[in-house]
Amino acid sequence: MQFVLFFSDKQVREQLFAHVDGTRGLLLVTGVRHGPAMRSPEAREPFATLEFLHGRVLTQVLVADEGTADGMWRDPLGDLGDRLYPESRDDAYAVTSGYLLLEDGRPRTVVRKHGLPANDLWFLEDALSQLTSRVPPPDPARKPGTKRPERAPRSPRRPASTGAPVDSDASGPPPDEGGWRQRAGSAGSRRVRPERTSASESSKPWDDASGHDPREAHATDSEATPPRGTRAPPPREPARKDAWAVLGLARDMTLDEARKAFRALIAGYHPDKVSHLAPEFQELAERRTREILAAWEEVEVELKSDR
């Protein structure tokens, strides 16, 4: 069974807590990003495969962040982490960034996200198999990062045909005064001109009418890097703002002091406080909110690593 909650819902925190408290058996809770062009969260991997293979054993609650101004100031997963791990900030933070597995409402483990759905699926099944015998352990040989045996080297390819004509009558009669000689064929004899053998022409004996060697067409990569100066230079990335300066924080602040200042700053851009302003100012407040949230993520990680 799968449930999808959305940050934009004002009751998302209460709904998440209700699922945690009311679900019997194994429960997976995690956050996902969601946008208009994306598939619904429950249809993505690894969630779709988990539902297909272990839906009778595992309930999933996916908390989707749409990135809208209405949900930017909410942190349901952070609130859940603080509730489950009041004595451990590190464990509480892991809830917001990984896959939380609970059993009868009690946290059992947090599986780190590895970026690729196939990798996440292997580690999730491994963790589930340790919590219940109804989920078989995954194949150890397919564990992400396991070095697989190298394939046998392929046999070398045969050289490509150049399409050059082959003179099978090289030992035929000598050429006449004009440089032509007779060649016998099924439809009678015909006169052919021998190869050019001068030093200046021997390097490309099969030039076509345009003066190009047709073999070069086979050897040329159609997607080869063009010569220097023929490509437009890549666009320069805008200079990154210092996260501490964006938040107006001093670098000697503690994590609690920085968090308090961050919450006070972002509260000033709450949608309810700018709803009476013109649309351009509301858009400016939304951009500023995104900038503050991005800066806080960077500062929070730095402060946690210094502890």
Side-chain angles (χ1 to χ4, degrees):
M1 188 175 297
Q2 295 173 301
F3 300 93
V4 181
L5 311 179
F6 294 94
F7 271 56
S8 57
D9 189 339
K10 294 182 179 180
Q11 302 298 319
V12 61
R13 177 178 179 272
E14 289 72 18
Q15 292 176 8
L16 176 60
F17 285 11
H19 281 292
V20 170
D21 295 336
T23 301
R24 300 297 91 187
L26 293 175
L27 173 66
L28 167 67
V29 176
T30 191
V32 297
R33 295 197 178 277
H34 184 61
M38 297 181 179
R39 291 183 299 166
S40 57
E42 69 274 15
R44 299 181 219 161
E45 296 296 344
F47 313 114
T49 299
L50 286 173
E51 176 66 16
F52 178 75
L53 296 177
H54 314 300
R56 295 184 179 182
V57 181
L58 178 68
T59 301
Q60 302 179 55
V61 175
L62 312 178
V63 187
D65 182 0
E66 310 103 301
T68 61
D70 290 338
M72 279 185 174
W73 58 278
R74 298 189 180 100
D75 188 14
L77 291 172
D79 295 338
L80 178 62
D82 292 337
R83 177 190 175 191
L84 297 176
Y85 299 101
E87 305 298 330
S88 175
R89 297 290 181 87
D90 293 338
D91 291 337
Y93 178 75
V95 172
T96 66
S97 58
Y99 299 98
L100 171 65
L101 290 175
L102 305 99
E103 186 174 15
D104 297 333
R106 294 179 291 106
R108 297 299 302 270
T109 187
V110 177
V111 178
R112 183 171 64 88
K113 292 185 178 180
H114 294 77
L116 296 177
N119 294 355
D120 290 350
L121 178 62
W122 194 98
F123 287 103
L124 283 168
E125 289 189 319
D126 182 58
L128 289 169
S129 66
Q130 299 177 36
L131 299 177
T132 176
S133 59
R134 298 177 65 182
V135 176
D139 183 2
R142 301 182 66 86
K143 181 178 180 180
T146 302
K147 187 176 181 181
R148 300 181 181 179
E150 297 181 359
R151 296 181 179 180
R154 296 181 178 179
S155 57
R157 293 183 178 181
R158 296 177 59 187
S161 173
T162 62
V166 179
D167 188 358
S168 59
D169 295 336
S171 59
D176 57 19
E177 295 180 356
W180 297 82
R181 67 186 176 196
Q182 294 295 121
R183 172 181 289 180
S186 57
S189 62
R190 57 191 178 95
R191 302 174 70 197
V192 296
R193 183 182 294 276
E195 300 178 12
R196 293 173 293 176
T197 56
S198 63
S200 61
E201 297 175 339
S202 59
S203 58
K204 293 185 177 182
W206 309 114
D207 288 355
D208 57 19
S210 62
H212 298 288
D213 188 344
R215 289 174 294 182
E216 295 179 357
H218 298 280
T220 302
D221 183 0
S222 61
E223 297 182 356
T225 304
R228 185 184 299 274
T230 59
R231 292 183 298 174
R236 295 183 179 179
E237 296 184 0
R240 292 187 58 187
K241 296 182 180 180
D242 179 68
W244 294 83
V246 170
L247 301 174
L249 302 179
R251 291 186 175 271
D252 57 352
M253 277 187 170
T254 65
L255 179 59
D256 291 336
E257 293 172 340
R259 183 181 286 111
K260 183 178 180 180
F262 156 71
R263 289 177 176 173
L265 176 63
I266 200 170
Y269 297 91
H270 189 279
D272 292 343
K273 293 190 177 183
V274 298
S275 59
H276 64 287
L277 300 177
E280 57 267 24
F281 290 103
Q282 295 183 25
E283 183 179 353
L284 179 63
E286 182 175 346
R287 289 202 303 267
R288 176 62 173 158
T289 299
R290 293 178 184 274
E291 183 182 40
I292 292 173
L293 287 172
W296 173 245
E297 288 184 5
E298 184 177 339
V299 169
E300 186 180 29
V301 170
E302 186 174 338
L303 285 172
K304 286 180 178 292
S305 63
D306 292 339
R307 293 176 58 186

